[in-house]
Amino acid sequence: MKFDDFAPTTALQRLRRRTVFLTCAGLLMAAAGTAGAAEVQLADLDLSKLVQEFGHVQANKSVSGHPLTINGRVFERGVGSHAASSLQIKLDGRATGFHAFVGIDDEVKGDPKAKNFPIEIRVMADGHTVFKSGPMRAGDAGKAVDVDLNGVKNLVLYTRLVGSGNMFAHADWADAKITYDGDKPETVSLPPDEAVVLTPLPAKTPRMNFARVLGVRPGKPVLFRVATTGERPITFTGADVPDGVKLDPATGILTGAIAKAGTYRVKLSARNALGSAEQTLTIEAGDRIALTPPMGWNSWNCFAHDVSDEKVRAAADAMEKSGLIDHGWTYINIDDCWQLPVNTKAPEKSAQPLRDANGRVRTNDKFQDMKALTDYLHAKGLKAGIYSSPGPWTCAHFTGSYENEAADAKQYAEWGFDYLKYDWCSYGGVANQLRKLPNRPPEATLLRHPYEVMRDELAKQDRDIVYSLCQYGMGSVWEWGGQVGGNCWRTTDDIGDSWGSVSAIGFNQHGLERFAKPGQWNDPDMLVLGKVGWGPKLHQTKLTPSEQYSHVSLWSLLAAPLLIGCDLTQLDAFTTGLLSNDEVIAINQDPLGKQGSRVAITDDDGEIW
């Protein structure tokens, strides 16, 4: 599979590739010798066609509205943008040259973290890269751009994220101008990308779509839905079902517990009036769980603070009604905002006591009965996920687990949760205090310790709980996440619904494949498809249809956890098709557990994975 990591749409990939490199002196001589040559400043063109990651483009100003400044040099003219960005200019062979001075605007230079987020600035002529800055960081000297445009029909000015972060990516096209002969160049909008559904509708005959392997610990509850498409009613039967486990013939849900460690191969069949299907499920009863990447839904990218018991139940209902449940989607995860809010300046003065007299964490009014909620999910064969932080409060400033890990792990198990996302958040403040001690712990110990504490407490519980570490890749967590009990670990900052974010995160997973294996997965964050919004106001993802196909395809190749981030009650046919392609999902859920890797970079900077 080949991905183009710099063209923001497939339309750009179709542009004819041609260019001529000349020296700066040669360019100036060519421009000077052209009869009737004119010059137009980039800032004087219609900039409304420029597409960028954040903010609004401004003529003759940085993206934050300041004078354009690169490494102390101030420019009166030019365009400030935010990577990733692209602007397409129609030339029709009338232009002779493009000249600019490019770099990162000094307005981000004061933040010490700015150097951790490099970008690259490119110029493409008829689809061929004719200028490439290489990685540029805040404070770097700018670079001159002088490109021959003779005969070029389409010019694209493009900035891309080199790393996985999208902060501080303030790219300036300073003193940018085009020399031309004839009609003035004009900016153009990229052609629309049609949302074509490529996934065929499920057949009416049964097809079994579940992961072929299940990991459980002896004595812990088994819950597994035999995901199967086809016209209902379907009758399920099983041979060699282990002692202690039962298969519901009407729902295809396996429940119970396996007392003895071992490998069990269960022969499952599904039959309706039109036909039948058979498949073997291998159950590994031992010390490993999450033998394939977790698949499900997470509340944050659509609801954030607005999540509630009602919305979580609605997500489960939609998972069932849409048919996604029959393609192997399993987890329904609450991400933050279910606890009581914390007064972060004085937690003891929070509006309500954060814990009861026995130290148990209290829920807010939107979650009245957690046990009833997990029972509701389990009855459908779905699993329930919850969220906390090793710090005193979560990222959204709700109650964290700091110094209450034992009570919280026990509470999660009693409520019936099957998945815990454990988010670094305010533990950064705890770690900073420890760093100030005369006998400060080694940095590796600081990063690992809070996750080891919760690992030990989860191990004491009477149910399997998938352990998802969320600390954004600090300290190369992929090298030790499995050692602290993690079943998956975030490798990156939060994802956004833009191609710049998705491509930077996804393609930068290269090199991490050797750390992934059954039960231990690199996590490049959630899927940003469908209606998203991080709160009560949702919008359609900013990814084009082609970019969404690349997103799902790449995450499947990466053996990444697949967690849907959109409002499942507002699924359209295109999004449903993306999420129900069983052949693509099967690559992600392959029992071999091998993460895809980059095998080559092509001459035009495409990537082959």
Side-chain angles (χ1 to χ4, degrees):
M1 185 171 291
K2 178 180 177 182
F3 295 89
D4 189 329
D5 81 329
F6 60 83
T9 72
T10 54
L12 294 179
Q13 298 169 13
R14 295 194 295 267
L15 295 175
R16 188 161 52 92
R17 301 176 181 274
R18 55 179 296 196
T19 188
V20 178
F21 281 100
L22 297 175
T23 65
C24 177
L27 282 169
L28 292 174
M29 290 172 61
T34 303
E39 183 178 276
V40 62
Q41 289 279 339
L42 181 65
D44 293 335
L45 296 179
D46 178 8
L47 299 179
S48 67
K49 306 296 195 301
L50 188 147
V51 179
Q52 66 181 16
E53 190 85 358
F54 293 107
H56 301 285
V57 65
Q58 301 189 60
N60 305 318
K61 291 184 181 296
S62 71
V63 73
S64 295
H66 300 119
L68 296 164
T69 309
I70 301 174
N71 197 28
R73 182 179 172 186
V74 180
F75 298 84
E76 292 185 4
R77 305 302 308 275
V79 173
S81 67
H82 194 301
S85 66
S86 63
L87 177 65
Q88 183 166 322
I89 304 172
K90 183 180 179 182
L91 303 177
D92 286 340
R94 302 186 301 269
T96 57
F98 174 73
H99 320 281
F101 193 78
V102 299
I104 308 292
D105 197 278
D106 283 357
E107 64 191 3
V108 302
K109 188 176 177 180
D111 194 311
K113 295 182 291 184
K115 283 188 173 291
N116 299 327
F117 298 91
I119 69 168
E120 187 169 69
I121 298 173
R122 298 188 179 189
V123 178
M124 295 187 291
D126 286 344
H128 191 101
T129 301
V130 294
F131 171 82
K132 182 165 60 174
S133 69
M136 301 188 76
R137 295 172 170 81
D140 287 355
K143 295 186 178 183
V145 183
D146 287 287
V147 175
D148 179 20
L149 296 180
N150 280 286
V152 173
K153 295 183 177 180
N154 289 282
L155 177 70
V156 176
L157 307 181
Y158 183 62
T159 67
R160 75 181 191 105
L161 304 169
V162 176
S164 61
N166 52 22
M167 296 186 290
F168 313 108
H170 296 198
D172 289 346
W173 299 89
D175 199 20
K177 64 193 76 170
I178 299 172
T179 53
Y180 66 98
D181 188 2
D183 294 335
K184 187 172 74 172
E186 59 180 320
T187 60
V188 295
S189 298
L190 297 172
D193 191 4
E194 186 178 356
V196 179
V197 179
L198 299 178
T199 303
L201 294 174
K204 293 185 178 181
T205 53
R207 173 185 167 125
M208 298 179 129
N209 306 308
F210 54 85
R212 302 296 188 254
V213 61
L214 172 67
V216 299
R217 295 186 178 98
K220 304 296 177 71
V222 171
L223 177 64
F224 185 83
R225 181 175 175 123
V226 182
T228 305
T229 52
E231 189 174 274
R232 261 51 181 181
I234 295 177
T235 300
F236 296 88
T237 58
D240 301 324
V241 177
D243 292 341
V245 176
K246 294 182 179 180
L247 172 65
D248 188 314
T251 64
I253 298 175
L254 287 162
T255 55
I258 299 174
K260 186 178 179 181
T263 299
Y264 302 85
R265 292 181 173 85
V266 183
K267 300 174 183 177
L268 297 165
S269 66
R271 179 179 298 276
N272 66 9
L274 302 173
S276 62
E278 295 182 348
Q279 192 57 253
T280 297
L281 169 66
T282 299
I283 302 178
E284 296 286 357
D287 61 353
R288 298 187 304 161
I289 60 175
L291 298 185
T292 60
M295 290 177 57
W297 173 84
N298 180 290
S299 65
W300 183 257
N301 283 359
C302 54
F303 298 133
H305 292 73
D306 203 41
V307 68
S308 66
D309 179 290
E310 180 182 14
K311 287 182 170 64
V312 173
R313 290 175 188 252
D317 293 343
M319 184 85 81
E320 187 174 40
K321 183 178 179 180
S322 67
L324 293 182
I325 197 171
D326 298 320
H327 295 276
W329 298 92
T330 300
Y331 290 91
I332 300 291
N333 295 346
I334 307 166
D335 193 324
D336 212 340
C337 308
W338 58 268
Q339 315 93 317
L340 289 173
V342 178
N343 180 338
T344 59
K345 294 183 178 180
E348 69 282 0
K349 296 182 181 179
S350 297
Q352 301 178 63
L354 304 177
R355 296 178 178 273
D356 66 15
N358 295 314
R360 291 176 297 202
V361 61
R362 299 177 63 205
T363 61
N364 59 48
D365 291 341
K366 293 186 293 183
F367 291 91
Q368 298 283 344
D369 191 335
M370 285 294 203
K371 184 64 170 65
L373 177 57
T374 62
D375 287 347
Y376 185 82
L377 302 180
H378 291 160
K380 297 177 182 292
L382 295 170
K383 295 183 178 181
I386 200 166
Y387 168 104
S388 188
S389 169
W393 53 82
T394 67
C395 289
H397 297 172
F398 289 78
T399 314
S401 295
Y402 183 58
E403 296 184 332
N404 290 279
E405 294 85 357
D408 286 358
K410 182 179 180 181
Q411 186 67 75
Y412 303 153
E414 290 178 353
W415 279 336
F417 282 98
D418 310 284
Y419 186 109
L420 171 64
K421 177 179 176 180
Y422 209 43
D423 201 338
W424 179 264
C425 298
S426 64
Y427 193 83
V430 177
N432 285 337
Q433 292 301 313
L434 294 173
R435 292 185 180 103
K436 296 176 183 178
L437 297 175
N439 56 340
R440 58 164 288 176
E443 189 64 20
T445 300
L446 285 175
L447 295 175
R448 294 167 58 116
H449 176 69
Y451 292 99
E452 292 171 329
V453 173
M454 181 56 80
R455 172 202 62 192
D456 294 343
E457 297 304 330
L458 291 175
K460 299 174 184 177
Q461 309 312 314
D462 62 358
R463 64 185 304 109
D464 288 332
I465 299 177
V466 171
Y467 192 22
S468 173
L469 316 184
C470 184
Q471 50 82 280
Y472 316 102
M474 294 185 296
S476 301
V477 63
W478 42 86
E479 296 179 355
W480 50 266
Q483 299 171 20
V484 300
N487 300 116
C488 46
W489 43 80
R490 278 277 294 279
T491 59
T492 175
D493 290 321
D494 288 354
I495 198 170
D497 61 323
S498 69
W499 180 244
S501 177
V502 170
S503 61
I505 288 174
F507 292 115
N508 275 287
Q509 300 305 298
H510 169 66
L512 303 186
E513 58 272 6
R514 63 192 178 97
F515 301 105
K517 61 182 179 180
Q520 299 178 10
W521 309 104
N522 295 308
D523 180 4
D525 208 4
M526 294 166 278
L527 299 171
V528 280
L529 314 167
K531 289 287 186 70
V532 295
W534 294 268
K537 188 176 181 180
L538 305 182
H539 63 266
Q540 189 66 30
T541 180
K542 297 174 185 176
L543 297 178
T544 68
S546 294
E547 290 163 359
Q548 293 178 65
Y549 273 115
S550 294
H551 184 20
V552 174
S553 300
L554 182 55
W555 260 238
S556 295
L557 286 172
L558 291 172
L562 298 180
L563 293 177
I564 304 167
C566 68
D567 183 356
L568 294 181
T569 68
Q570 299 188 56
L571 286 175
D572 55 20
F574 179 76
T575 308
T576 302
L578 282 171
L579 299 172
S580 59
N581 191 310
D582 297 312
E583 293 178 342
V584 175
I585 293 172
I587 292 172
N588 178 266
Q589 295 289 295
D590 183 357
L592 183 64
K594 183 174 176 61
Q595 177 175 318
S597 60
R598 188 177 69 204
V599 297
I601 299 178
T602 65
D603 290 341
D604 59 0
D605 289 330
E607 299 191 6
I608 300 174
W609 282 69

